Amino acid sequence: MLISLALIGLIGGLITGISPCIIPVLPVIFLSGGAQSARARAGEDGEDADPRRVSRWRPYVVILGLVVSFSLFTLIGSLVLALLNLPQDVLRWAGIVVLVLIGLGLIIPRFQHILEKPFSWIPQKQVGTERSGFILGFALGAVYVPCAGPVLAAITVAGATGRIGVDTVVLTVSFAIGAAIPLLIFALAGRRVAERVKAFRKRQTLIRTIGGVTMIALAIGLVFNLPQVLQRLVPDYTSALQDQFGNSEQIAEQLDLGGLVNEQNKELDQCSNGAEELESCGTAPDIKDIDAWFNTPDEQPIALDELRGKVVLVDFWAYSCINCQRSIPHTVAWDEAYRDAGLEVIGVHSPEYAFEKEERNVRAGARDFGIEYPVALDNSLGTWTNYRNRYWPAHYLIDAEGTVRHIKFGEGGYATTEKLIRELLQDADPDVELPAATDVGDDTPDGARTTPETYLSVGREQNYGGEGKYGSGVDDYAFPAKLGRDEFALDGSWDVGFQFATPAEDEARIRLEYSATQEVRMVLGGSGSVTYTVDGGEEETIEVDGTPRSYRLLEVDGAKQGTIEVTAAKGVEAYSFTFG
């Protein structure tokens, strides 16, 4: 499996390495291959040096620094940020600062000597050349992290839970190497030009200065999110390749179960996602690290080994997740229909948001959905990790002997899951009398493209299309002249935090270009009025008060695209848009 993950990471990295996301760093990478460090110059007599004095290994050292930086920041950085509850911007800002320092060092040789002093203990020839190259690559790795794409998403949960497995390390490092290969080609091209083109050989001081200015320009551009604007202007010529890669069944099978592997869950990958027939994938892992239980006798915990003889369905959910909201009616119906026949449903509530960790909020959500089966609050994602899960919702079907026999990630497949529940109940008790199959409509979207879940919190705003920086704290925003498909923007004064955005003054606005097949919803909390219009139509009003929850803004029948504009009063907390 590790070899497969390494290949997946390598291929995913190569695709990212040739995608538009690398464009902002290409000039720096190209110039880094041929620019000399201060100590590589013959500067003792004030003359420019022969660029052949620059180590032939400099391009490799730059890329090595990028690979090491990317891997460390992605793995250990995610762990530290999760433990300290800090945003991803911490690493990004550190990388920006280092880029500015290196840029100044290239322009001002004396300043570079100062930067190199902390590393003077390293015994190597032409130490300035090697050292500055590695540091440059290390800084680029920090600002290159957001370009990781879908493979980084497969690593996120491991970092968020504070534990990293061998498979996560292999996936991350192989991805970093794959993404670095195209960059190495550009760095080698820069070195080749420096060696062969006379203008480069005769004007090394000028080339160093241009390199320094380019690095500082990149840092300034990153501060104002200019690379994102550039990426939106350049067509994503790798999108078809990304889709083909991401939709591959073989790759999906490897990444479906990407959590930490331990003795309890090591056999889970023997089950395929949504199989039509029963499979066998080991004894069910423990339900562990639970903060609280409810809907149990005296709210006492449940251990799976106490349920031998019963068929168990473990349902991972979060009450504000729109996918879960469409799935839960099926789970509730199965509980009601088959409880007396020997089915035990356990809802493991694994939160997406901080407010979903509040027990009173989860209890309120469970009441709204009619959930009467036991619910475990998995706030630290201990059980989520123990089941190697990464999806909302996710169903794990366990037979009367305690063996996992079926796994289903995401929505859909309800008829298959119910069929297998019935088979296991009959296997456990051949004399059992089963009721008729449940009749709950399947509201799973039909596969037409919908806008991805759109978060308004800092660090998760993947599709922000407004002008300027989207950062934490109070700031004034303005709608751009035009928004791209699936993008959102703010207008007015907003206080943006790490969980939600809230108007800083009397009211403020959000505009969203949406794609939906069934509905558009918005997760709101706090208190106040929210008005909205859809495609310039009649204004509607929502009164928000109390526990954050999901509100429906639009219901459609079939694929639809359009514009929603929301006006929120001060006191309203806007968390996200969800779609179906």
Side-chain angles (χ1 to χ4, degrees):
M1 182 175 178
L2 291 180
I3 295 176
S4 299
L5 284 173
L7 290 174
I8 290 171
L10 188 66
I11 296 171
L14 282 169
I15 295 174
T16 297
I18 61 173
S19 70
C21 79
I22 69 164
I23 292 176
V25 301
L26 283 185
V28 174
I29 291 293
F30 182 83
L31 290 170
S32 71
Q36 297 178 11
S37 74
R39 296 191 180 189
R41 298 174 57 204
E44 300 295 332
D45 57 4
E47 297 177 1
D48 283 347
D50 187 338
R52 284 169 290 188
R53 293 189 183 187
V54 179
S55 169
R56 61 179 296 188
W57 297 106
R58 178 177 171 81
Y60 298 96
V61 172
V62 172
I63 300 304
L64 175 63
L66 189 148
V67 171
V68 172
S69 171
F70 179 92
S71 301
L72 288 177
F73 288 160
T74 302
L75 295 174
I76 301 175
S78 296
L79 167 62
V80 173
L81 294 180
L83 291 175
L84 299 179
N85 197 28
L86 293 175
Q88 187 74 22
D89 271 359
V90 170
L91 300 179
R92 178 173 175 270
W93 280 106
I96 289 172
V97 169
V98 174
L99 279 178
V100 171
L101 294 177
I102 294 176
L104 291 174
L106 286 173
I107 298 171
I108 309 171
R110 288 184 178 274
F111 185 69
Q112 183 166 345
H113 292 323
I114 296 174
L115 293 178
E116 293 173 350
K117 282 185 178 180
F119 302 92
S120 59
W121 57 271
I122 301 177
Q124 57 181 13
K125 297 174 65 175
Q126 295 179 333
V127 65
T129 296
E130 311 295 0
R131 207 184 287 134
S132 62
F134 185 84
I135 297 172
L136 170 59
F138 204 84
L140 288 174
V143 300
Y144 193 60
V145 168
C147 296
V151 175
L152 182 59
I155 304 165
T156 299
V157 169
T161 56
R163 294 148 60 189
I164 303 297
V166 174
D167 54 353
T168 310
V169 174
V170 169
L171 188 65
T172 304
V173 174
S174 61
F175 183 93
I177 293 172
I181 289 174
L183 297 178
L184 176 61
I185 294 173
F186 276 93
L188 291 173
R191 188 187 70 180
R192 191 71 169 172
V193 170
E195 292 173 344
R196 295 300 180 90
V197 178
K198 185 176 181 179
F200 271 73
R201 296 200 303 268
K202 297 297 185 181
R203 297 178 175 84
Q204 274 293 301
T205 299
L206 176 62
I207 298 304
R208 281 172 45 82
T209 302
I210 293 174
V213 171
T214 302
M215 291 178 197
I216 295 173
L218 172 60
I220 295 173
L222 288 167
V223 170
F224 295 100
N225 291 320
L226 294 181
Q228 295 180 9
V229 176
L230 176 61
Q231 291 163 25
R232 287 196 294 268
L233 294 176
V234 178
D236 188 358
Y237 43 80
T238 62
S239 59
L241 193 58
Q242 287 277 20
D243 289 342
Q244 184 178 1
F245 176 75
N247 294 328
S248 166
E249 292 184 6
Q250 292 83 0
I251 292 171
E253 288 175 3
Q254 294 294 327
L255 294 181
D256 274 349
L257 293 170
L260 298 176
V261 180
N262 58 38
E263 286 299 316
Q264 289 196 8
N265 63 31
K266 64 183 180 181
E267 297 183 50
L268 286 179
D269 54 10
Q270 296 181 18
C271 276
S272 54
N273 179 24
E276 294 288 333
E277 302 296 334
L278 289 170
E279 299 176 313
S280 181
C281 39
T283 301
D286 293 339
I287 296 176
K288 56 183 291 188
D289 301 333
I290 298 302
D291 292 76
W293 287 83
F294 62 86
N295 290 349
T296 64
D298 298 324
E299 301 188 346
Q300 292 299 304
I302 294 176
L304 289 180
D305 56 9
E306 298 173 354
L307 300 177
R308 293 291 188 268
K310 287 190 171 185
V311 175
V312 180
L313 177 67
V314 177
D315 175 28
F316 286 90
W317 67 294
Y319 76 81
S320 72
C321 164
I322 188 171
N323 310 87
C324 299
Q325 292 171 17
R326 289 192 289 258
S327 173
I328 287 173
H330 296 270
T331 309
V332 169
W334 297 333
D335 173 60
E336 294 175 350
Y338 303 115
R339 184 188 307 166
D340 293 339
L343 176 67
E344 182 77 43
V345 178
I346 299 176
V348 178
H349 187 274
S350 303
E352 283 187 276
Y353 297 106
F355 67 77
E356 290 179 319
K357 296 181 179 181
E358 293 290 336
E359 182 176 346
R360 65 178 183 275
N361 294 346
V362 181
R363 285 179 177 269
R367 284 195 300 271
D368 290 343
F369 293 124
I371 294 175
E372 297 180 354
Y373 47 80
V375 174
L377 271 62
D378 185 28
N379 287 348
S380 63
L381 300 183
T383 299
W384 171 285
T385 302
N386 206 32
Y387 274 74
R388 301 170 64 186
N389 185 34
R390 197 170 286 127
Y391 296 85
W392 289 277
H395 291 148
Y396 293 75
L397 187 56
I398 305 166
D399 67 17
E401 301 298 322
T403 300
V404 177
R405 303 297 302 277
H406 178 72
I407 297 175
K408 179 65 179 76
F409 297 128
E411 298 178 70
Y414 304 114
T416 296
T417 301
E418 183 168 10
K419 179 195 75 169
L420 299 180
I421 289 173
R422 295 171 70 91
E423 287 185 21
L424 291 180
L425 290 172
Q426 289 174 329
D427 289 345
D429 181 5
D431 297 326
V432 69
E433 294 185 6
L434 298 178
T438 60
D439 185 19
V440 178
D442 188 347
D443 292 330
T444 304
D446 60 6
R449 185 177 180 276
T450 62
T451 302
E453 189 163 4
T454 299
Y455 297 95
L456 304 178
S457 55
V458 175
R460 303 183 76 182
E461 71 292 354
Q462 298 299 317
N463 48 343
Y464 177 65
E467 299 176 353
K469 177 186 175 184
Y470 194 90
S472 61
V474 177
D475 204 350
D476 292 329
Y477 295 83
F479 287 146
K482 185 178 181 180
L483 278 176
R485 182 175 176 178
D486 301 332
E487 292 183 338
F488 79 94
L490 304 181
D491 184 66
S493 182
W494 284 89
D495 186 358
V496 181
F498 299 125
Q499 289 293 326
F500 57 81
T502 185
E505 297 179 354
D506 290 340
E507 62 179 28
R509 289 153 295 284
I510 308 170
R511 182 177 294 163
L512 170 74
E513 295 295 321
Y514 70 89
S515 303
T517 58
Q518 293 182 347
E519 61 182 348
V520 179
R521 304 180 73 94
M522 193 172 185
V523 179
L524 299 166
S527 61
S529 297
V530 172
T531 59
Y532 65 93
T533 60
V534 178
D535 302 327
E538 184 177 348
E539 187 176 90
E540 302 283 348
T541 301
I542 297 172
E543 293 299 331
V544 178
D545 188 19
T547 301
R549 64 183 183 88
S550 177
Y551 295 82
R552 177 183 287 165
L553 304 184
L554 171 66
E555 186 174 14
V556 298
D557 184 13
K560 180 177 173 59
Q561 298 178 30
T563 305
I564 291 180
E565 189 164 316
V566 176
T567 300
K570 187 174 183 179
V572 172
E573 300 168 351
Y575 289 83
S576 67
F577 291 94
T578 59
F579 307 87

